[in-house]
Amino acid sequence: MDISAVNAFSYEDFVNTFGNVVEKCPLITAAVWSRRPFGSLNALEAAISDFIDELPESGKEGILRCHPDLAGRDLLRGTLTRESHQEQAGAGMDTLASAEAERMARLNEEYKKRFGFPFVICARMNDKANILRQLTERCQNERAEERERGIEEVKKICRLRLQSLVLTDAANKL
């Protein structure tokens, strides 16, 4: 679809199509709909990013809290969103060896205890070894730094999810 098709979506179709580009946060998409028409698909991505940036710190932390733990109970129970399941499986989170799974669970808990929100990383841009390394390293960050880093990862996830939803021609590439 091209940008004119995106701009022609009703509110309901827009939210149904793009409602999970930011994990479990259809409110963001609902708010961004009113910023139509978008001049390009890059403009749609920028509108979502700008909306996130305009949120207070508590709102940004709320976005981070909507993300599931990597290789966590939602993956084990099969209750991840379709997008999260594909992303985690693609990074090998569903095939961790027992020792890796234990380490991931321990680090996830340490991270959440330290920061009050789950570790967020764009799984599609990383493999399990890098995810474990980054989780270990990022547990040492300060809260404000980690909140900012998590939001940047959310934006990467959003960009890739938008790209997977929208087939674009050269003039409208994300």
Side-chain angles (χ1 to χ4, degrees), residues 4-103:
S4 62
V6 171
N7 285 327
F9 275 164
S10 68
Y11 170 82
E12 292 80 13
D13 289 342
F14 189 85
V15 173
N16 287 337
T17 301
F18 300 110
N20 203 45
V21 295
V22 177
E23 184 77 10
K24 296 181 182 176
C25 292
L27 179 64
I28 293 172
T29 307
V32 167
W33 179 82
S34 65
R35 297 182 182 185
R36 294 173 314 126
F38 302 106
S40 67
L41 293 172
N42 280 335
L44 170 57
E45 180 187 351
I48 293 169
S49 182
D50 290 347
F51 182 87
I52 292 169
D53 289 343
E54 292 164 5
L55 291 171
E57 301 310 315
S58 60
K60 292 173 184 171
E61 288 185 11
I63 289 171
L64 296 173
R65 286 187 193 100
C66 288
H67 283 262
D69 287 346
L70 288 166
R73 84 173 169 264
D74 289 332
L75 177 64
L76 299 174
R77 292 179 182 167
T79 56
L80 288 173
T81 63
R82 177 183 48 82
E83 297 89 346
S84 283
H85 183 267
Q86 291 172 344
E87 292 158 356
Q88 288 199 31
M93 295 290 100
D94 59 343
T95 60
L96 294 177
S98 179
E100 291 171 320
E102 289 173 17
R103 181 174 172 221

Side-chain angles (χ1 to χ4, degrees), residues 98-160:
S98 179
E100 291 171 320
E102 289 173 17
R103 181 174 172 221
M104 181 68 76
R106 181 180 50 76
L107 287 169
N108 275 330
E109 284 308 309
E110 179 183 327
Y111 185 96
K112 282 194 296 189
K113 184 177 179 182
R114 178 168 170 82
F115 299 113
F117 47 83
F119 172 74
V120 177
I121 190 169
C122 183
R124 286 172 62 182
M125 297 176 80
N126 292 279
D127 60 18
K128 65 183 179 179
N130 194 45
I131 290 170
L132 279 164
R133 183 182 58 76
Q134 292 253 355
L135 179 51
T136 301
E137 290 173 4
R138 286 173 54 189
C139 278
Q140 308 309 310
N141 289 343
E142 294 300 319
R143 183 183 180 96
E145 177 185 3
E146 197 50 34
R147 181 178 46 241
E148 183 179 328
R149 179 75 183 273
I151 289 297
E152 290 308 312
E153 294 295 319
V154 165
K155 291 176 184 179
K156 290 176 189 177
I157 295 164
C158 176
R159 180 181 317 111
L160 292 173

